[in-house]
Amino acid sequence: AGESEKSNLPVFTMNYPRIQIPFEITLWMLLASFAKIGFHVYPKITFWVPESCLLVSIGLIVGGIMYSVNEKPPAVLTSNVFFLYMLPPIVLDSGYFMPTRPFFENVGTVLWFAVVGTLWNSIGIGMSLFAICQIEAFGVQDINLQENLLFATIISAVDPVAVLSVFEDVSVNEQLYIVVFGECLFNDAVTVVLYSMFSFVTEMPVVEPVDMFLGVATFLVVGLGGMGFGILFGFVAAFTTRFTSKVQEIEPLFIFMYSYLAYLVAELFAISSIMAIVCCALTMKYYVEENVSQRSCTTIRHVVKMLSAISETLIFFFLGVVTITTEHEWNWGYILFTLLFAFIWRGLGILVLTQIINPFRTIPFNTKDQFGMAYGGLRGAISFALAFTLPDNIARKHLFVTATIVIILFTVFLQGISIRPLIEFINVRRTNRKTDTINIEIHTRLMEHTMAGIEDLCGQWSHYYWKDKFMKFNNRILRRILLRDNRAESSIVALYKKLELQNAIEILDTASGDISAAPSIISLQEEKKNSTKPKKKFLAADLKNMHDILSKNMYKIRERTVSYTSKHALPNDNQRREILIRRHSSIRRSLRPGSFQTRVSMKPNNAQEAGILHRGRGMLKAGSDKVKKVQAEFCK
């Protein structure tokens, strides 16, 4: 009996339950990523149809397939998963890449629309829906005022990712862009605070007047507390990176850990975690990017963008899946009036709040700008996640989820697709935000100093005055504490360094900066043999390629074998970067139209072609001499 029970050593085994959760999460991420790759194979698709629409469409298809085979969607999008893992990267991306100067110039308008506008929409939609619930014909008399306010808060969260992409492509004026950007960011923070507050209120049997005052106090404490925690952790992160010059390989880790720690500590004390991580990103970005190396800075930016893209992709993808596979409760009256009131209160809010804020603005918003802000109020990831994570004690939870999905699909598809042609049709004020030049920076700084002086003489304290005071405080105290190299640096010099670095990176990204683009001796010999044979005349593209190859060989220094002192050390390329920045200016001058291409753009005859090749070989020889000279300087 003992021998019959003896089992042999298994040659092949499979233990799927052990790896089920990470395996399925990885597959979902791969599927969503493949969908994004497929969208960009044909660029015209994403030009006219927002990426969020395409992701929801793929999710609808996958959800339909799962529903047909009676497969339940993975229980991945729980409240903790969303708020602790998926939301932080999205908010960190928005805060870290916030245009700093335009934001602080319009911070009053941004907070006005984000805070007051969200309260306006939440209370207006909630009261209107509560009035509709009193009509017996709709059959929703059991929904009380607190639940209507909670639902109105959910659908007040705007997420104009598609609109911002269109605004950037069309180059709308900077004021409109930054107000929509900032409103989206801080609106999410206000919405989550109101959601938590109304979730608690719905569980109260009776709401007394004192509870309203406590709610206002809680709102202020939660918002200001999150801001304070974010600024504190931002300064700590900047101070830490002051001492990381010897451990550059872990510099990006501090940025992500301190940001996430600010978010978690805010959640621990039940204050605004979104406000905490946004303020942390805004605070530390300026100081961190001066402390860390350029390689670490690039890593931080890429990883932040990657994590944010993954989270947004998964949320929109799950939105499509859940739309098909979840249980719905349909009520025509309640859902249609929800759509109607969402549009009405959004439009009225923009109109009324703009009339109040315009007298205090240097550049007021005109009617076209107001239409862009009102029509750009798309609902998205935040609304879906908040509705999907509603507590189970809400009796009409399925109705709220269904209505939220309907308004998200309606705004994302209808408004998201039509926003580009409408903005181009009404001809919204535009500007070129990509004109970073030394000339513009000099004149901008001149006007800021002039305005600060005029305000000081007149006794009027505007944002120019406060900005000047903050810059003095920053140069005298904060930079000395937080920065490794705390010498005050002019914004003009900083911009010059930034432009020089951008140009150097652009040169390296082109074929002329790639060592693989250099011609070999064999290829030059083949070209010499072929030159004796009759061939077609040179085209402009051929001449440009020749020029790129020659300029590259004139520039590229000898590659050295990188030595690693330990397995944790990163290669040090500071000397090569210095040579790169010194030499790329002359290369850019040689790459300008007119230096080489225009002289040979006409169709040459055979003698001229031979002359070009001869001159090219001479340039190549002269370039090799310059390379040796640079190498000699480098070795010193």
Side-chain angles (χ1 to χ4, degrees), residues 510-512 538-551 591 593 596-597 600:
T510 59
S512 61
F538 283 96
L539 300 176
D542 299 329
L543 297 174
K544 183 179 182 303
N545 291 335
M546 288 172 55
H547 182 249
D548 289 342
I549 292 172
L550 291 172
S551 61
L591 290 173
F596 181 80
Q597 297 174 23
V600 294

Side-chain angles (χ1 to χ4, degrees), residues 459-520:
Q460 180 181 358
W461 293 351
S462 181
H463 70 273
Y464 292 107
Y465 173 84
W466 291 112
K467 180 180 179 180
D468 189 61
K469 293 297 183 184
F470 173 76
M471 291 305 296
K472 291 180 180 178
F473 173 74
N474 180 51
N475 292 331
R476 291 175 182 174
I477 299 177
L478 292 181
R479 289 181 63 94
R480 295 177 182 272
I481 300 174
L482 302 177
L483 295 186
R484 187 183 309 125
D485 182 9
N486 53 36
R487 292 172 296 179
E489 186 178 55
S490 168
S491 61
I492 299 171
V493 176
L495 178 64
Y496 175 75
K497 289 183 177 179
K498 175 184 174 183
L499 295 176
E500 290 289 292
L501 186 60
Q502 286 179 352
N503 291 330
I505 293 173
E506 288 174 2
I507 289 177
L508 285 178
D509 286 341
T510 59
S512 61
D514 186 5
I515 190 65
S516 61
S520 63

